[in-house]
Amino acid sequence: MDMIGQTILNTTLGAQNGYNVLADCMLNQIRWHQTNANTNPFEYLNFVRRSIHWHNGRQMDDYIGKELDKRYHENRTNQANVQTKAVIDLVLQAANSQDSKPLPEKIDPAFRQFAIRQIRLFMFAGHDSTSSTICYIIHLMSSDPDSLARLRAEHDTILGRDPSEAERLLNSKPQLISSLVYTNAVIKESLRLFTPAGCSRGGKSGVSLINEEGQKCPTDDAIVWLIHVETHRSPEYWPRPDEFLPERWLVDPSHELYPMKGAWRPFEHGPRNCPAQGLVMTELAVVLAMIAREFNFQPSYDEWDRLHPRKGLRTYRGERAYQIEEGAAHPVDKTPLVIIHGGPGACHDYLLPLADLASSHSIPVVFYDQIGNGRSTHIPDKNGDEDFWTEDLFRAELDNLLVKLGPSNRPIDVLGHSWGGMLAVGWAAKQPPNLRRLIISNSLASMDAWRIGIRQLRSELPQDIQRVLDRCDESKDFESPEYEAAIEAFYKRHLSLARPWPCKEVQAALDWFAKDATTYGTMYGPSELYISGSLRGWTSIPMLSEIKAPTLLINGSQDEAQDVAMKPFFEHVPKVKWVTLDDAAHFAHVDQTDRYLTYLADFIKDSTAAEQGRRGLDCETLRALRACA
């Protein structure tokens, strides 16, 4: 949206950093758009929609009108020196060039209204077309390894074999973009298959269109709607229309795949051709140059379907990634939630139930695997190296991730689970300016407090299990079947209450611990009940008062993160709320998913959280009620 604002209005909207009238009203207008009015005429009876559309339209018109007046005044006082290709300036230059006389003090009212409507149309058409096209290019490339290999080979040849040097090289030699011939073909073919928008043209008396059957179609008093998604897949114009074939843009005119003149029109055609076409094509090429060799992408629809089961058709024309009519997400209203998983040594997979926040509450969720964890880089040669596996290492990795996510002032929310909470606390205490909300889930404020809770839970185990644990602790026999069975008995009580045991989330975490215990063994120890690693003396208590972001604490009634381990957070963090979920253990997000997500979403969306201090404790039983400071 910000780039569109710069291109069209030659101004910075700042939509990613805060509220902007034009951007927010535009997106709100799209959310209230009646997509099924043609098939459901009762949609026209929604008077609330009419009121909202009227209000949004008035706000947008007022914003654009003020920008027009400002630019008109600048052009009027400095006609000879206006050097810009922004849409607003091109419109004003075209209007002003029609008369060599001195420009009037104010812009012509009729032209002003016409320009406002056209600029609104540009904003609507361009607000997320580039971002959706990037998604479709990635989708198509991930489905076609040969095309991806050819694209990467071209980048190696033109931009050098080191992907990290591409940015520097393109900054110094931007003309290299025009040498990425195959990349341009990939972009054009992606736009053919997944065109972001259609186009309409006003009919004219006496003007008719002739269809393929030779029938004459008058356009009097009509709007002609060009449905590009159908035109671009029509066998009348395209050989093998449903196939992704970048080669069709590289063949000779005599080849059967060579595109028919005028058939490719994602930016429309002729006088209605989008003036930003060159900018968009260049932008897409630069994006591909930056990411195509850095990342591997794979579809996750099987995983999505497991999390979001539903009946009915899932594909259209054989494509799961088919297009729907929907507005873009807004990064201000929908601040991303960055999830820091536990362990250390686990993976993000066990936290995937939190992905439902995206569909149920429109909260974008960012997962990642820490170094030495899950699908990230593993370094088993560093096993036991406490100087290498430090909290600073993981904090630097988090900072690097956030840099990649966008501007340093883009607001984010952060959730740390277990060890992830320990990491998040140290990071939040440094008061990063873009931290909006902090969630500490099933974690601990200090190892001493953690040990108190663990000892209590251990003392409540059956006596025969306690004897096994004591004997194996003394002999350091942590790999015997007897010890593993005793640990499993503890896990069934305090890791997760979900049944059958182990649920898929628990199994995902345990699998990664079994594959590579380097980070867990070095930093924590051989099991949850024996703490011998570098974190054995860890505490966050002295720094907790430095956390300025509103903070939510979550644990379970049967959690190994007992209240005694969580209590220092509540006592020392200035703006804090604490929720304890009944019938939940360490994986409270699995044991009580719906309630966990509800508390989490309510906190993230609470506009008053930043103004409130310690807010007390929400408990689902009277068990843990206590006086709140």
Side-chain angles (χ1 to χ4, degrees):
M1 183 65 82
D2 284 341
M3 179 168 285
I4 292 297
Q6 192 69 51
T7 304
I8 295 175
L9 296 177
N10 196 19
T11 189
T12 301
L13 300 181
Q16 295 194 61
N17 302 326
Y19 178 79
N20 176 269
V21 171
L22 180 60
D24 284 72
C25 287
M26 172 67 71
L27 294 174
N28 186 257
Q29 194 85 324
I30 292 168
R31 284 191 287 270
W32 279 90
H33 175 58
Q34 50 191 116
T35 57
N36 63 337
N38 289 334
T39 56
N40 183 10
F42 292 104
E43 288 287 338
Y44 288 108
L45 300 179
N46 188 331
F47 297 107
V48 174
R49 175 185 289 114
R50 291 188 183 184
S51 176
I52 290 174
H53 279 178
W54 175 85
H55 173 75
N56 286 334
R58 188 173 180 180
Q59 292 280 86
M60 288 187 287
D61 287 354
D62 183 63
Y63 186 98
I64 296 171
K66 289 178 179 178
E67 289 294 327
L68 266 173
D69 293 340
K70 182 178 75 173
R71 300 299 294 174
Y72 179 80
H73 176 72
E74 292 173 358
N75 288 0
R76 180 173 174 270
T77 57
N78 193 25
Q79 276 182 268
N81 296 318
V82 175
Q83 299 291 331
T84 174
K85 291 187 178 181
V87 170
I88 191 171
D89 292 315
L90 293 176
V91 168
L92 290 173
Q93 289 168 28
N96 296 341
S97 65
Q98 296 175 7
D99 194 340
S100 59
K101 297 179 182 179
L103 297 176
E105 186 173 340
K106 291 185 178 181
I107 192 171
D108 177 71
F111 177 80
R112 185 177 185 272
Q113 188 61 34
F114 169 79
I116 287 173
R117 294 308 170 102
Q118 294 302 309
I119 288 172
R120 275 180 58 173
L121 178 62
F122 272 112
M123 295 292 296
F124 173 78
H127 83 283
D128 73 339
S129 54
T130 304
S131 57
S132 63
T133 299
I134 292 170
C135 293
Y136 277 117
I137 293 174
I138 291 171
H139 164 67
L140 291 167
M141 298 304 290
S142 67
S143 306
D144 191 340
D146 292 340
S147 294
L148 177 59
R150 185 170 175 181
L151 181 83
R152 287 171 167 171
E154 179 179 75
H155 292 177
D156 285 345
T157 301
I158 304 298
L159 304 175
R161 301 191 65 83
D162 184 358
S164 65
E165 286 292 301
E167 180 180 358
R168 182 193 61 78
L169 190 62
L170 287 174
N171 276 328
S172 61
K173 299 179 180 179
Q175 68 274 16
L176 288 176
I177 282 292
S178 61
S179 301
L180 299 176
V181 179
Y182 189 75
T183 302
N184 185 67
V186 166
I187 295 169
K188 295 185 75 170
E189 185 69 350
S190 301
L191 283 167
R192 181 186 70 83
L193 290 172
F194 296 102
T195 307
C199 179
S200 61
R201 301 196 183 197
K204 190 174 181 180
S205 177
V207 175
S208 299
L209 300 176
I210 309 298
N211 65 14
E212 289 88 346
E213 287 78 30
Q215 295 173 322
K216 193 174 182 179
C217 305
T219 66
D220 306 58
D221 302 318
I223 296 291
V224 180
W225 183 21
L226 287 78
I227 308 176
H228 293 136
V229 69
E230 295 299 326
T231 304
H232 285 165
R233 296 218 184 204
S234 171
E236 292 287 332
Y237 311 123
W238 301 93
R240 299 159 65 182
D242 291 326
E243 296 182 46
F244 176 63
L245 299 171
E247 293 76 14
R248 74 172 77 241
W249 302 99
L250 305 173
V251 297
D252 294 330
S254 59
H255 197 282
E256 63 171 350
L257 288 178
Y258 190 79
M260 180 185 296
K261 184 178 180 180
W264 187 77
R265 38 202 318 141
F267 299 93
E268 228 327 84
H269 199 66
R272 293 301 301 269
N273 199 61
C274 176
Q277 176 176 342
L279 172 67
V280 172
M281 295 296 290
T282 300
E283 182 184 1
L284 291 171
V286 170
V287 169
L288 287 180
M290 294 295 102
I291 69 172
R293 294 178 292 172
E294 288 276 9
F295 301 98
N296 290 314
F297 297 92
Q298 62 183 30
S300 297
Y301 284 113
D302 292 340
E303 186 176 297
W304 176 265
D305 290 341
R306 288 196 303 271
L307 295 171
H308 306 84
R310 63 179 176 85
K311 297 179 180 180
L313 296 174
R314 296 181 182 272
T315 61
Y316 175 69
R317 282 178 166 157
E319 270 289 359
R320 182 60 194 276
Y322 57 86
Q323 292 171 301
I324 61 173
E325 185 179 359
E326 187 174 282
H330 188 198
V332 173
D333 292 339
K334 302 173 184 178
T335 302
L337 175 65
V338 178
I339 308 290
I340 309 176
H341 67 71
C347 57
H348 78 277
D349 304 68
Y350 79 86
L351 290 164
L352 282 175
L354 274 62
D356 281 353
L357 288 167
S359 58
S360 61
H361 297 281
S362 299
I363 298 172
V365 182
V366 178
F367 296 99
Y368 76 105
D369 285 339
Q370 300 157 27
I371 184 172
N373 296 244
R375 298 179 183 84
S376 190
T377 303
H378 287 251
I379 315 176
D381 293 346
K382 294 292 185 179
N383 189 18
D385 189 344
E386 294 187 3
D387 292 331
F388 180 81
W389 298 107
T390 65
E391 189 178 357
D392 287 342
L393 172 69
F394 293 97
R395 192 180 299 129
E397 180 185 41
L398 175 60
D399 286 333
N400 186 53
L401 169 70
L402 297 179
V403 168
K404 296 296 184 182
L405 284 179
S408 59
N409 59 351
R410 178 183 183 180
I412 60 166
D413 299 328
V414 170
L415 182 150
H417 180 267
S418 193
W419 145 252
M422 299 163 64
L423 180 59
V425 165
W427 178 79
K430 294 183 179 296
Q431 300 179 13
N434 58 333
L435 177 60
R436 195 183 70 102
R437 299 278 193 278
L438 175 66
I439 300 96
I440 304 171
S441 180
N442 315 85
S443 192
L444 57 143
S446 76
M447 275 299 175
D448 287 342
W450 175 263
R451 286 188 185 92
I452 294 172
I454 290 291
R455 288 194 200 103
Q456 178 61 38
L457 296 177
R458 180 167 171 162
S459 70
E460 297 170 0
L461 292 170
Q463 288 297 317
D464 58 330
I465 293 178
Q466 290 189 53
R467 285 193 291 270
V468 170
L469 294 172
D470 292 341
R471 185 169 61 251
C472 291
D473 284 354
E474 186 175 349
S475 64
K476 304 293 190 293
D477 182 11
F478 303 118
E479 297 183 359
S480 67
E482 192 180 27
Y483 184 77
E484 290 180 355
I487 288 295
E488 184 176 33
F490 177 84
Y491 284 167
K492 286 182 177 179
R493 286 176 171 227
H494 304 296
L495 189 64
S496 175
L497 305 183
R499 297 295 183 270
W501 174 272
C503 63
K504 62 183 179 180
E505 290 83 7
V506 169
Q507 192 61 59
L510 295 179
D511 284 348
W512 279 110
F513 286 133
K515 290 177 183 177
D516 185 0
T518 298
T519 52
Y520 185 77
T522 302
M523 299 183 73
Y524 188 89
S527 78
E528 294 293 276
L529 300 181
Y530 194 91
I531 308 164
S532 59
S534 60
L535 294 173
R536 55 190 174 273
W538 182 88
T539 182
S540 66
I541 294 175
M543 67 179 75
L544 294 180
S545 62
E546 299 299 316
I547 297 176
K548 303 306 180 186
T551 301
L552 173 66
L553 312 176
I554 306 178
N555 70 331
S557 60
Q558 305 302 313
D559 201 334
E560 60 179 339
Q562 286 285 285
D563 287 354
V564 66
M566 299 283 289
K567 186 177 179 180
F569 292 133
F570 187 69
E571 293 175 332
H572 297 287
V573 176
K575 300 174 184 176
V576 64
K577 180 178 181 177
W578 187 356
V579 174
T580 298
L581 295 176
D582 275 346
D583 302 318
H586 200 51
F587 281 27
H589 63 285
V590 175
D591 299 343
Q592 299 295 336
T593 302
D594 290 342
R595 283 185 286 166
Y596 185 100
L597 294 182
T598 297
Y599 279 117
L600 187 55
D602 287 348
F603 174 74
I604 289 173
K605 293 185 173 184
D606 182 2
S607 61
T608 66
E611 286 72 45
Q612 298 190 26
R614 191 169 287 106
R615 300 176 59 194
L617 177 70
D618 284 359
C619 266
E620 299 189 348
T621 70
L622 297 177
R623 172 191 65 82
L625 287 177
R626 52 180 147 299
C628 301

